Amino acid sequence: MINSASVINVPFLEMREQLDELAAGGTKFFHIDLMDGHYVPNLCMPIKLIRELKDAYPQIVMDVHIMVTNPQDYIERLREAGADYVAFHTDSTPFVRRIINEIHGAGMKAGIVINPSQRIDHIEPYIEYVDMVMLMAVEPGFAGQALLDGSMGRLGQIADLRRKHDCRFLISVDGGINHERTVLCRDMGVDVIVGTVHNIFKQPEGLREACLRFEREFG
């Protein structure tokens, strides 16, 4: 499995120090949240940060999650910034297939995101076209939330859809996944765990060692 360390959990005043620790711990993805204050009631992470991260850590995949009302307006700027994956919310646009095609046309991998209030089967028309399906196990918009009841079963439904259609998209889960739940995710076939305060940040062994533990046990 892949540790996609969520940059939103890094204190701004300690950013370079903690990013270096993440890299030293073998982190493969940086999970970068972009929020516009409309789709979710929060503002977060300028696009230029992606370019700076890509230049400083070229070996790390930029896993960008956009929580915005007009995802089509961001695709070209994300390409220019060096994003590798771009995951958007299916209820943020009536043109899901068009956005997927535009992301691919820009040379990036496309992901779709499922909110806690959405049925899993609503993504079925899109799954053969995407590279990642991300399940929100918390409500989008704020870091540090506790896992919502029923989220693990919903991951199982996504895995069932992948098997049913013989697809190859990555399954990612964002929010509330601690070490014990990471074990369950591995057994269910989840590919990407968004690293948060529950499993990577603020752990007693420190950030680098928490990442190294993840790599030893799940990488």
Side-chain angles (χ1 to χ4, degrees):
M1 285 194 297
I2 295 166
N3 165 29
S4 187
S6 182
V7 177
I8 195 174
N9 293 283
V10 177
F12 288 148
L13 295 181
E14 302 174 31
M15 182 161 280
R16 190 56 192 256
E17 177 185 345
Q18 291 206 5
L19 291 172
D20 284 347
E21 286 192 57
L22 291 170
T27 298
K28 297 181 176 70
F29 283 29
F30 281 160
H31 182 86
I32 304 158
D33 291 310
L34 299 184
M35 308 179 195
D36 64 357
H38 296 282
Y39 183 79
V40 291
N42 198 5
L43 289 166
C44 187
M45 298 300 176
I47 290 177
K48 72 171 187 175
L49 176 64
I50 301 168
R51 180 76 269 162
E52 293 176 5
L53 291 174
K54 193 68 175 177
D55 289 343
Y57 306 96
Q59 77 281 14
I60 295 179
V61 172
M62 299 297 132
D63 171 24
V64 182
H65 172 199
I66 56 174
M67 289 167 264
V68 299
T69 53
N70 297 299
Q72 68 276 5
D73 294 343
Y74 293 77
I75 294 170
E76 179 58 22
R77 284 184 287 168
L78 289 170
R79 181 197 67 78
E80 292 173 353
D84 295 295
Y85 282 83
V86 177
F88 66 98
H89 288 257
T90 55
D91 62 352
S92 68
T93 174
F95 307 112
V96 174
R97 282 290 306 278
R98 181 187 300 174
I99 300 300
I100 292 169
N101 290 341
E102 289 183 5
I103 293 170
H104 284 152
M108 301 177 291
K109 296 184 184 297
I112 51 177
V113 187
I114 307 173
N115 284 332
S117 58
Q118 292 177 298
R119 290 173 57 93
I120 298 299
D121 59 7
H122 91 277
I123 67 168
E124 199 160 359
Y126 316 121
I127 57 175
E128 64 181 289
Y129 307 107
V130 298
D131 305 288
M132 179 187 288
V133 172
M134 181 188 302
L135 179 75
M136 295 302 301
V138 299
E139 293 290 356
F142 295 93
Q145 300 178 66
L147 184 95
L148 290 172
D149 291 343
S151 296
M152 301 304 291
R154 286 164 60 79
L155 280 171
Q157 292 178 51
I158 298 172
D160 289 343
L161 272 181
R162 184 168 64 177
R163 285 191 293 269
K164 174 183 174 183
H165 292 277
D166 193 26
C167 292
R168 299 187 182 279
F169 60 80
L170 300 178
I171 298 175
S172 175
V173 58
D174 185 356
I177 301 298
N178 59 19
H179 182 268
E180 291 73 21
R181 293 184 185 118
T182 302
V183 174
L184 296 175
C185 287
R186 177 193 60 195
D187 296 343
M188 296 169 69
V190 173
D191 305 286
V192 181
I193 304 292
V194 175
T196 68
V197 296
H198 300 281
N199 59 352
I200 298 297
F201 295 90
K202 298 185 179 180
Q203 300 302 301
E205 66 266 47
L207 187 52
R208 177 179 176 274
E209 290 304 316
C211 292
L212 288 171
R213 181 177 70 157
F214 184 101
E215 293 302 319
R216 286 194 302 269
E217 298 188 20
F218 306 112

